[in-house]
Amino acid sequence: MQELRDKGKALENITAEAELVDRAVRSDPDATAVLLANVRPGVVKYCRARLGRIGGAYTTADDVAQEVCLAVLRALPRFRDQGRPFAAFVYGIAAHKVADAQRAAIRDRAVTPVDTLVDRPDAAPGPEQQAIATDLARRLSRLLAHLADTPREIIVLRVAVGLSAEEVGAVLGMSAAAVRVAQSRALARLRMLGRNTFDEVPA
C-alpha cells in the first residue's frame, strides 16, 4: 500500500514539474524563477562533489554552479520534452560546465596576487579546520578518481545530489536497475579502497 502511495506521489511530482517546465519554456517569469530555485541546490551539490574545495572553500564550485544555472536559463527556450526527466537536461549541462572548469584549472595553475588586504576579522574556518577539510576532500577525490567515468557520475548524482535511480538513469541513458547495480559495485570498490586511504597517516 505504501509503495502505491509513493508511486502516486512520484507521478504527481513528475506532472507538477512537467507543467512548471512547460510554463518556464514559454517564458513565464514566475515559473522560471521557481524552476531555477528548485534546480539550484542539486546543481550546487553536484558541482561541489565534482570540483571539491580549493584553498578550503567551495568558491570555484559555486561559481560553476552559477554558470550552470545561467546556461539552463539561456537554454530553456530550446528545451523540448522528449520523455526524459528535466534533470537529464540540467545535469547534462552541469557535466559539460564541470569538465570545462576542470580543463581550465589544469591550464591555469598560476597563483593570483592579492592587491589589498581586508581590515576586518575573518569569519572563515581557521588554518587547522581548512587543512583538515582540504585533506578530507583530497582523499575523497582520490577515491573517486579510481572509478571509471560512469560509476563516478552515478555516485555523485545518487549520493551527493540525491537523485533517484530513475533520474540518474535518464541522465546517463541507463535503466534504473543498471544504475543500482553499478552504484552497488562502485560503493563496494570505494569501501575497499577507503580502508587504505583513510587509515593512512598523513606525513
Side-chain angles (χ1 to χ4, degrees):
M1 193 68 173
Q2 181 62 42
E3 190 177 336
L4 285 174
R5 282 198 207 100
D6 290 344
K7 282 185 180 175
K9 198 174 216 180
L11 283 172
E12 283 174 25
N13 290 342
I14 289 167
T15 305
E17 184 183 72
E19 289 171 6
L20 187 64
V21 170
D22 185 53
R23 285 173 50 205
V25 167
R26 288 185 280 116
S27 302
D28 178 326
D30 294 334
T32 302
V34 171
L35 185 64
L36 287 176
N38 291 349
V39 159
R40 190 176 185 284
V43 168
V44 169
K45 287 179 188 173
Y46 176 82
C47 292
R48 286 181 173 189
R50 290 295 309 275
L51 296 170
R53 296 173 190 260
I54 296 172
Y58 283 119
T59 308
T60 301
D62 291 350
D63 287 346
V64 173
Q66 188 67 21
E67 285 180 31
V68 172
C69 291
L70 288 171
V72 168
L73 180 62
R74 284 192 294 267
L76 263 177
R78 299 189 305 277
F79 174 77
R80 297 293 172 264
D81 186 355
Q82 298 174 330
R84 300 171 70 203
F86 187 65
F89 173 71
V90 171
Y91 289 103
I93 291 172
H96 287 296
K97 291 290 184 187
V98 164
D100 289 346
Q102 288 170 329
R103 281 191 293 271
I106 290 167
R107 281 194 311 267
D108 310 325
R109 293 228 182 248
V111 177
T112 306
V114 177
D115 292 335
T116 57
L117 294 175
V118 181
D119 190 20
R120 64 173 181 269
D122 187 1
E128 184 180 353
Q129 289 83 7
Q130 285 187 13
I132 290 168
T134 301
D135 183 58
L136 183 60
R138 177 187 60 80
R139 292 178 188 214
L140 288 171
S141 293
R142 205 167 75 202
L143 277 180
L144 286 172
H146 283 86
L147 298 178
D149 291 345
T150 299
R152 182 170 58 241
E153 199 76 350
I154 288 170
I155 294 297
V156 170
L157 289 171
R158 289 281 282 139
V159 178
V161 179
L163 295 186
S164 69
E166 290 75 13
E167 289 170 323
V168 174
V171 171
L172 300 177
M174 301 168 65
S175 70
V179 167
R180 289 188 186 98
V181 169
Q183 178 186 350
S184 178
R185 288 178 180 160
L187 287 173
R189 179 157 168 71
L190 288 175
R191 274 193 292 274
M192 184 186 73
L193 291 166
R195 288 191 199 106
N196 298 330
T197 301
F198 288 101
D199 287 344
E200 73 181 18
V201 177

